[in-house]
Amino acid sequence: MDQDIKNKILFLLEKNEGLTFDEIKKLLDWKGDSRPLRMALSELVRESKVERTPNYDRKRMVFKKVKNNG
């Protein structure tokens, strides 16, 4: 997976608390096939760098950067 995409996602999530997939896609000005972006996000979730949680007010799943302990 393209590490550059993952770094951009982490940078965005550091600046913004709780973004939906569509918001991430818009902020990255992503055009075309969104599968590489989805794969990068799911890898970050599996690596425990990003957490995916429901936001009931917005009726969407949001992604947040996991805070490092220390």
Side-chain angles (χ1 to χ4, degrees):
M1 179 49 53
D2 190 358
Q3 189 62 40
D4 188 43
I5 297 171
K6 290 163 70 170
N7 289 338
K8 287 178 182 176
I9 293 169
L10 287 172
F11 179 76
L12 274 180
L13 292 176
E14 208 165 276
K15 301 289 179 217
N16 304 281
E17 187 63 32
L19 293 174
T20 65
F21 177 78
D22 290 332
E23 290 167 339
I24 292 169
K25 189 174 171 181
K26 185 178 178 190
L27 287 170
L28 287 176
D29 198 29
W30 192 270
K31 303 286 186 233
D33 190 5
S34 59
R35 283 179 292 190
L37 186 57
R38 287 191 186 280
M39 287 173 59
L41 258 172
S42 62
E43 274 189 30
L44 287 168
V45 170
R46 280 195 296 274
E47 293 168 4
S48 299
K49 294 180 181 174
V50 171
E51 63 183 11
R52 181 175 173 255
T53 55
N55 183 316
Y56 297 107
D57 296 333
R58 298 168 68 187
K59 296 181 174 63
R60 296 274 186 267
M61 294 300 283
V62 295
F63 296 91
K64 296 179 183 179
K65 187 172 187 290
V66 173
K67 305 283 186 241
N68 293 340
N69 294 341

Coordinates of all heavy atoms in Angstrom, one line a residue:
M1 N 0.9 -1.2 0.0 CA 0.0 0.0 0.0 C 0.9 1.2 0.0 O 1.9 1.3 0.6 CB -0.9 0.0 1.2 CG -1.8 1.2 1.4 SD -2.8 1.7 0.0 CE -3.6 0.2 -0.5
D2 N 0.4 2.3 -0.7 CA 1.2 3.5 -0.8 C 1.3 4.2 0.6 O 0.2 4.7 1.1 CB 0.4 4.4 -1.8 CG 1.3 5.6 -2.2 OD1 2.4 5.8 -1.6 OD2 0.8 6.4 -3.1
Q3 N 2.5 4.3 1.1 CA 2.7 4.9 2.4 C 2.4 6.4 2.4 O 1.9 7.0 3.4 CB 4.2 4.7 2.8 CG 4.5 5.1 4.2 CD 3.7 4.3 5.3 OE1 3.5 3.1 5.2 NE2 3.2 5.0 6.3
D4 N 2.5 7.0 1.2 CA 2.2 8.5 1.0 C 0.8 8.8 1.3 O 0.4 9.8 2.0 CB 2.6 8.9 -0.4 CG 2.5 10.4 -0.5 OD1 2.9 11.1 0.4 OD2 2.0 10.9 -1.6
I5 N -0.1 7.9 0.8 CA -1.6 8.1 1.1 C -1.9 8.0 2.6 O -2.6 8.8 3.2 CB -2.4 7.1 0.3 CG1 -2.2 7.2 -1.2 CG2 -3.9 7.2 0.7 CD1 -2.8 6.1 -2.0
K6 N -1.3 7.0 3.2 CA -1.5 6.8 4.7 C -1.0 8.0 5.5 O -1.6 8.4 6.4 CB -0.8 5.5 5.1 CG -1.5 4.3 4.6 CD -0.7 3.0 4.6 CE -0.5 2.4 6.0 NZ 0.1 1.1 5.9
N7 N 0.2 8.5 5.1 CA 0.7 9.7 5.8 C -0.2 10.9 5.6 O -0.4 11.7 6.6 CB 2.2 10.0 5.3 CG 3.2 9.0 5.7 OD1 3.0 8.3 6.7 ND2 4.3 8.9 5.0
K8 N -0.7 11.1 4.4 CA -1.6 12.2 4.2 C -2.9 12.1 5.1 O -3.4 13.0 5.6 CB -2.0 12.3 2.8 CG -0.9 12.8 1.9 CD -1.3 12.9 0.4 CE -0.2 13.4 -0.4 NZ -0.5 13.3 -1.9
I9 N -3.4 10.8 5.2 CA -4.6 10.6 6.0 C -4.3 10.9 7.5 O -5.1 11.5 8.2 CB -5.1 9.1 5.8 CG1 -5.6 8.9 4.4 CG2 -6.2 8.8 6.9 CD1 -5.9 7.4 4.1
L10 N -3.1 10.4 8.0 CA -2.8 10.6 9.4 C -2.6 12.1 9.6 O -3.0 12.6 10.7 CB -1.5 9.9 9.7 CG -1.6 8.4 9.8 CD1 -0.2 7.7 10.0 CD2 -2.5 8.0 11.0
F11 N -2.0 12.8 8.7 CA -1.9 14.3 8.8 C -3.2 15.0 9.0 O -3.4 15.8 9.8 CB -1.1 14.8 7.7 CG -0.8 16.3 7.7 CD1 0.1 16.9 8.6 CD2 -1.6 17.2 6.9 CE1 0.3 18.3 8.7 CE2 -1.4 18.6 7.0 CZ -0.5 19.1 7.9
L12 N -4.1 14.6 8.1 CA -5.5 15.2 8.1 C -6.2 14.9 9.5 O -6.8 15.8 10.0 CB -6.4 14.6 7.0 CG -6.3 15.2 5.6 CD1 -7.2 14.5 4.7 CD2 -6.7 16.7 5.7
L13 N -6.1 13.6 9.9 CA -6.8 13.3 11.1 C -6.1 13.9 12.4 O -6.7 14.0 13.4 CB -6.8 11.7 11.3 CG -7.7 11.0 10.2 CD1 -7.6 9.5 10.4 CD2 -9.1 11.5 10.3
E14 N -4.8 14.3 12.2 CA -4.2 15.0 13.4 C -4.8 16.4 13.5 O -4.9 16.9 14.6 CB -2.7 15.0 13.1 CG -1.8 15.1 14.3 CD -0.4 14.8 14.0 OE1 0.0 13.6 13.9 OE2 0.4 15.8 13.8
K15 N -5.1 17.0 12.4 CA -5.6 18.4 12.4 C -7.1 18.5 12.6 O -7.6 19.5 13.1 CB -5.3 19.0 11.0 CG -3.8 19.1 10.6 CD -3.1 20.1 11.5 CE -1.6 20.1 11.2 NZ -0.8 20.3 12.3
N16 N -7.8 17.4 12.3 CA -9.3 17.4 12.4 C -9.7 16.2 13.2 O -9.3 15.1 13.0 CB -9.9 17.3 11.0 CG -9.4 18.3 10.0 OD1 -9.9 19.4 10.1 ND2 -8.5 18.0 9.2
E17 N -10.6 16.5 14.2 CA -11.1 15.4 15.1 C -12.3 14.8 14.5 O -13.4 15.4 14.5 CB -11.3 16.0 16.5 CG -11.7 15.0 17.5 CD -10.6 14.1 17.8 OE1 -9.4 14.4 17.7 OE2 -10.9 12.9 18.2
G18 N -12.2 13.6 14.1 CA -13.3 12.8 13.6 C -13.8 13.2 12.2 O -14.7 14.1 12.1
L19 N -13.3 12.5 11.2 CA -13.7 12.8 9.8 C -14.4 11.6 9.2 O -13.9 10.5 9.5 CB -12.5 13.2 9.0 CG -11.8 14.5 9.3 CD1 -10.5 14.6 8.4 CD2 -12.7 15.7 9.0
T20 N -15.4 11.8 8.4 CA -16.0 10.7 7.7 C -15.2 10.4 6.5 O -14.3 11.2 6.1 CB -17.4 11.1 7.2 OG1 -17.4 12.1 6.3 CG2 -18.3 11.5 8.4
F21 N -15.4 9.2 5.9 CA -14.7 8.9 4.7 C -14.8 10.0 3.6 O -13.9 10.3 2.9 CB -15.2 7.5 4.1 CG -14.5 7.1 2.8 CD1 -13.2 6.7 2.9 CD2 -15.1 7.3 1.6 CE1 -12.5 6.3 1.7 CE2 -14.4 7.0 0.4 CZ -13.1 6.5 0.5
D22 N -16.1 10.4 3.4 CA -16.3 11.5 2.4 C -15.6 12.8 2.6 O -15.1 13.4 1.7 CB -17.8 11.7 2.2 CG -18.5 10.6 1.6 OD1 -17.9 9.8 0.8 OD2 -19.7 10.4 1.9
E23 N -15.5 13.1 3.9 CA -14.7 14.3 4.3 C -13.2 14.2 4.0 O -12.6 15.1 3.5 CB -15.0 14.7 5.8 CG -16.4 15.2 6.0 CD -16.7 15.2 7.5 OE1 -16.0 14.6 8.3 OE2 -17.6 16.0 7.9
I24 N -12.7 13.0 4.3 CA -11.3 12.7 4.1 C -11.0 12.8 2.5 O -10.1 13.4 2.1 CB -10.9 11.3 4.6 CG1 -10.9 11.3 6.1 CG2 -9.5 10.9 4.1 CD1 -10.8 10.0 6.8
K25 N -11.9 12.1 1.8 CA -11.8 12.1 0.3 C -11.8 13.6 -0.2 O -11.0 13.9 -1.1 CB -13.0 11.3 -0.2 CG -12.9 11.0 -1.7 CD -14.0 10.1 -2.1 CE -14.0 9.9 -3.6 NZ -15.1 9.1 -4.1
K26 N -12.7 14.4 0.3 CA -12.8 15.8 -0.2 C -11.6 16.6 0.2 O -11.1 17.3 -0.6 CB -14.1 16.4 0.4 CG -14.4 17.8 -0.1 CD -15.6 18.4 0.5 CE -15.8 19.8 0.0 NZ -16.9 20.5 0.7
L27 N -11.1 16.4 1.4 CA -10.0 17.2 1.9 C -8.7 16.8 1.1 O -7.8 17.6 0.9 CB -9.7 17.0 3.4 CG -10.7 17.8 4.3 CD1 -10.6 17.3 5.7 CD2 -10.6 19.3 4.2
L28 N -8.6 15.6 0.7 CA -7.5 15.1 -0.1 C -7.6 15.4 -1.6 O -6.7 15.2 -2.3 CB -7.3 13.6 0.1 CG -6.7 13.1 1.4 CD1 -6.7 11.6 1.4 CD2 -5.3 13.6 1.6
D29 N -8.8 16.0 -1.9 CA -9.1 16.3 -3.3 C -9.0 15.0 -4.2 O -8.3 15.1 -5.2 CB -8.3 17.4 -3.8 CG -8.9 18.1 -5.1 OD1 -10.1 18.0 -5.2 OD2 -8.1 18.6 -5.9
W30 N -9.5 13.9 -3.7 CA -9.3 12.6 -4.3 C -10.3 12.5 -5.5 O -11.4 12.8 -5.4 CB -9.7 11.5 -3.3 CG -9.3 10.2 -3.7 CD1 -10.1 9.3 -4.4 CD2 -8.1 9.5 -3.5 NE1 -9.4 8.1 -4.7 CE2 -8.1 8.2 -4.1 CE3 -6.9 9.9 -2.9 CZ2 -7.1 7.3 -4.1 CZ3 -5.8 9.0 -2.8 CH2 -5.9 7.7 -3.4
K31 N -9.7 12.1 -6.6 CA -10.5 11.9 -7.9 C -10.4 10.5 -8.3 O -9.4 9.8 -8.1 CB -9.9 12.8 -9.0 CG -9.9 14.3 -8.7 CD -11.3 14.9 -8.7 CE -11.2 16.4 -8.5 NZ -12.0 16.9 -7.5
G32 N -11.4 10.0 -8.9 CA -11.4 8.6 -9.5 C -11.7 7.5 -8.5 O -12.5 7.7 -7.5
D33 N -11.1 6.4 -8.7 CA -11.4 5.2 -7.9 C -11.0 5.4 -6.4 O -9.9 5.8 -6.1 CB -10.6 4.0 -8.4 CG -10.9 2.7 -7.8 OD1 -11.9 2.6 -7.1 OD2 -10.3 1.7 -8.2
S34 N -12.0 5.2 -5.5 CA -11.8 5.4 -4.1 C -11.3 4.2 -3.4 O -11.0 4.2 -2.2 CB -13.0 6.0 -3.4 OG -14.1 5.1 -3.5
R35 N -11.1 3.0 -4.1 CA -10.7 1.8 -3.4 C -9.3 1.9 -2.8 O -9.1 1.4 -1.7 CB -10.8 0.6 -4.4 CG -12.2 0.1 -4.5 CD -12.3 -1.0 -5.5 NE -12.0 -0.5 -6.8 CZ -12.1 -1.2 -7.9 NH1 -12.6 -2.5 -7.9 NH2 -11.8 -0.7 -9.1
P36 N -8.3 2.5 -3.5 CA -7.0 2.7 -2.8 C -7.1 3.5 -1.5 O -6.4 3.1 -0.5 CB -6.1 3.4 -3.8 CG -6.8 3.1 -5.1 CD -8.3 3.0 -4.8
L37 N -7.9 4.5 -1.5 CA -8.1 5.3 -0.3 C -8.8 4.5 0.8 O -8.3 4.5 2.0 CB -8.9 6.5 -0.6 CG -9.1 7.6 0.5 CD1 -7.8 8.1 1.0 CD2 -9.9 8.7 0.0
R38 N -9.8 3.7 0.5 CA -10.5 2.8 1.5 C -9.5 1.8 2.0 O -9.5 1.5 3.2 CB -11.7 2.1 0.8 CG -12.8 3.1 0.6 CD -14.1 2.3 0.2 NE -15.2 3.2 -0.1 CZ -15.9 3.8 0.7 NH1 -15.8 3.6 2.0 NH2 -16.9 4.6 0.3
M39 N -8.6 1.2 1.1 CA -7.7 0.2 1.6 C -6.6 0.8 2.5 O -6.3 0.2 3.5 CB -7.0 -0.4 0.4 CG -7.9 -1.4 -0.4 SD -7.2 -2.0 -1.9 CE -5.7 -2.8 -1.3
A40 N -6.2 2.0 2.2 CA -5.2 2.7 3.1 C -5.8 3.0 4.5 O -5.2 2.7 5.5 CB -4.8 4.0 2.5
L41 N -7.1 3.4 4.5 CA -7.8 3.7 5.8 C -8.0 2.4 6.6 O -7.7 2.4 7.8 CB -9.2 4.3 5.5 CG -9.3 5.8 5.7 CD1 -10.6 6.3 5.2 CD2 -9.0 6.2 7.1
S42 N -8.4 1.3 5.9 CA -8.6 0.1 6.6 C -7.2 -0.5 7.1 O -7.2 -1.1 8.2 CB -9.3 -1.0 5.7 OG -8.5 -1.3 4.6
E43 N -6.2 -0.3 6.4 CA -4.8 -0.7 6.9 C -4.5 0.1 8.2 O -3.9 -0.5 9.1 CB -3.8 -0.5 5.8 CG -3.6 -1.7 4.9 CD -2.4 -1.6 4.0 OE1 -1.4 -1.0 4.4 OE2 -2.5 -2.1 2.9
L44 N -4.7 1.4 8.2 CA -4.4 2.2 9.3 C -5.2 1.7 10.5 O -4.7 1.8 11.7 CB -4.7 3.7 9.0 CG -3.7 4.3 8.1 CD1 -4.2 5.7 7.6 CD2 -2.3 4.5 8.8
V45 N -6.5 1.3 10.3 CA -7.3 0.8 11.4 C -6.7 -0.5 11.9 O -6.6 -0.6 13.1 CB -8.8 0.7 10.9 CG1 -9.6 -0.1 12.0 CG2 -9.4 2.0 10.6
R46 N -6.3 -1.4 11.0 CA -5.8 -2.7 11.5 C -4.4 -2.5 12.2 O -4.1 -3.2 13.1 CB -5.5 -3.6 10.3 CG -6.8 -4.3 9.8 CD -6.5 -5.4 8.9 NE -5.9 -5.0 7.6 CZ -6.5 -4.6 6.5 NH1 -7.8 -4.5 6.6 NH2 -5.9 -4.2 5.5
E47 N -3.7 -1.4 11.8 CA -2.4 -1.1 12.5 C -2.6 -0.4 13.8 O -1.6 0.0 14.4 CB -1.5 -0.3 11.5 CG -1.1 -1.1 10.3 CD -0.4 -0.2 9.3 OE1 -0.3 1.1 9.5 OE2 -0.1 -0.7 8.2
S48 N -3.8 -0.1 14.1 CA -4.2 0.6 15.4 C -3.6 2.1 15.4 O -3.3 2.6 16.4 CB -3.7 -0.1 16.6 OG -4.3 -1.4 16.7
K49 N -3.5 2.7 14.2 CA -3.1 4.1 14.1 C -4.3 5.0 14.0 O -4.2 6.2 14.4 CB -2.2 4.3 12.9 CG -0.8 3.5 13.1 CD 0.1 3.8 11.9 CE 1.4 3.0 12.1 NZ 2.2 3.1 10.9
V50 N -5.4 4.4 13.5 CA -6.6 5.1 13.4 C -7.8 4.3 13.9 O -7.7 3.0 13.8 CB -6.9 5.4 11.9 CG1 -8.3 6.0 11.6 CG2 -5.8 6.4 11.3
E51 N -8.7 4.9 14.6 CA -9.9 4.2 15.1 C -11.1 4.6 14.3 O -11.3 5.8 14.0 CB -10.1 4.3 16.6 CG -10.3 5.7 17.1 CD -10.4 5.7 18.6 OE1 -10.1 4.7 19.3 OE2 -10.8 6.8 19.1
R52 N -12.0 3.7 14.1 CA -13.3 4.0 13.4 C -14.4 3.8 14.4 O -14.6 2.7 15.0 CB -13.4 2.9 12.3 CG -14.6 3.0 11.4 CD -14.4 2.0 10.3 NE -15.7 1.9 9.5 CZ -16.6 0.9 9.6 NH1 -16.4 -0.1 10.4 NH2 -17.6 1.0 8.9
T53 N -15.1 4.9 14.6 CA -16.2 4.9 15.6 C -17.5 5.5 15.1 O -17.4 6.4 14.2 CB -15.8 5.7 16.9 OG1 -15.4 7.0 16.5 CG2 -14.6 5.0 17.6
P54 N -18.6 5.0 15.6 CA -19.9 5.6 15.1 C -20.1 7.0 15.7 O -19.8 7.2 16.9 CB -20.9 4.6 15.6 CG -20.3 3.9 16.7 CD -18.8 3.9 16.5
N55 N -20.6 7.9 14.9 CA -21.1 9.2 15.4 C -22.6 9.2 15.2 O -23.0 9.4 14.0 CB -20.4 10.3 14.6 CG -20.7 11.7 15.1 OD1 -21.9 12.0 15.4 ND2 -19.7 12.5 15.3
Y56 N -23.3 9.1 16.2 CA -24.8 8.9 16.1 C -25.5 10.2 15.7 O -26.5 10.2 15.1 CB -25.3 8.3 17.4 CG -24.8 7.0 17.7 CD1 -23.9 6.8 18.7 CD2 -25.2 5.9 17.0 CE1 -23.4 5.5 19.0 CE2 -24.7 4.6 17.2 CZ -23.8 4.4 18.2 OH -23.3 3.2 18.5
D57 N -24.9 11.3 16.1 CA -25.5 12.6 15.7 C -25.4 12.8 14.2 O -26.4 13.3 13.6 CB -24.8 13.8 16.4 CG -24.9 13.7 17.9 OD1 -25.9 13.2 18.4 OD2 -24.0 14.2 18.6
R58 N -24.3 12.4 13.6 CA -24.1 12.6 12.2 C -24.6 11.4 11.4 O -24.6 11.5 10.2 CB -22.6 12.9 11.9 CG -22.1 14.2 12.6 CD -20.7 14.3 12.6 NE -20.2 14.5 11.2 CZ -18.9 14.5 10.9 NH1 -18.0 14.3 11.8 NH2 -18.5 14.7 9.7
K59 N -24.9 10.3 12.1 CA -25.3 9.1 11.4 C -24.3 8.6 10.4 O -24.6 8.1 9.3 CB -26.7 9.2 10.7 CG -27.8 9.6 11.7 CD -29.1 9.7 10.9 CE -30.3 9.9 11.8 NZ -30.3 11.0 12.7
R60 N -23.0 8.7 10.9 CA -21.9 8.2 10.0 C -20.8 7.6 10.9 O -20.7 7.9 12.1 CB -21.2 9.5 9.3 CG -22.1 10.2 8.3 CD -22.0 9.5 7.0 NE -22.7 10.3 6.0 CZ -24.0 10.0 5.6 NH1 -24.7 9.1 6.2 NH2 -24.5 10.7 4.7
M61 N -19.9 6.8 10.3 CA -18.7 6.3 10.9 C -17.7 7.4 10.8 O -17.5 7.9 9.7 CB -18.3 5.0 10.3 CG -19.2 3.9 10.6 SD -19.5 3.5 12.3 CE -18.0 2.6 12.7
V62 N -17.0 7.7 11.8 CA -15.9 8.7 11.7 C -14.5 8.0 12.1 O -14.5 7.1 12.8 CB -16.1 9.9 12.6 CG1 -17.3 10.7 12.2 CG2 -16.3 9.5 14.1
F63 N -13.5 8.6 11.5 CA -12.2 8.1 11.7 C -11.4 9.1 12.6 O -11.5 10.3 12.3 CB -11.4 7.9 10.4 CG -12.0 6.9 9.5 CD1 -13.0 7.2 8.6 CD2 -11.7 5.5 9.6 CE1 -13.6 6.2 7.8 CE2 -12.2 4.5 8.9 CZ -13.2 4.9 7.9
K64 N -10.7 8.6 13.6 CA -9.9 9.5 14.5 C -8.5 8.9 14.6 O -8.4 7.7 14.6 CB -10.6 9.5 15.9 CG -11.9 10.2 15.9 CD -12.5 10.2 17.3 CE -13.9 10.7 17.3 NZ -14.5 10.7 18.6
K65 N -7.5 9.8 14.7 CA -6.2 9.3 14.9 C -6.0 8.8 16.4 O -6.5 9.5 17.3 CB -5.2 10.4 14.6 CG -3.7 10.0 14.7 CD -2.8 11.1 14.2 CE -1.4 10.7 14.0 NZ -0.7 10.4 15.3
V66 N -5.4 7.7 16.5 CA -5.2 7.2 17.9 C -4.1 8.0 18.5 O -3.0 8.2 18.0 CB -4.8 5.6 17.8 CG1 -4.5 5.1 19.2 CG2 -6.0 4.9 17.2
K67 N -4.4 8.4 19.8 CA -3.4 9.2 20.5 C -2.3 8.3 21.0 O -2.6 7.2 21.6 CB -4.0 9.9 21.7 CG -5.2 10.8 21.3 CD -4.7 12.1 20.7 CE -5.9 13.0 20.4 NZ -6.0 13.3 19.0
N68 N -1.0 8.7 20.9 CA 0.1 7.9 21.4 C 0.2 8.1 22.9 O 0.1 9.3 23.4 CB 1.4 8.3 20.7 CG 1.4 8.0 19.3 OD1 0.7 7.1 18.8 ND2 2.3 8.7 18.5
N69 N 0.4 7.1 23.6 CA 0.6 7.2 25.1 C 2.1 7.6 25.4 O 3.0 6.9 25.1 CB 0.3 5.8 25.8 CG -1.1 5.4 25.7 OD1 -2.0 6.3 25.4 ND2 -1.4 4.2 25.9
G70 N 2.2 8.8 26.0 CA 3.5 9.3 26.3 C 3.9 10.4 25.4 O 4.6 11.1 25.1

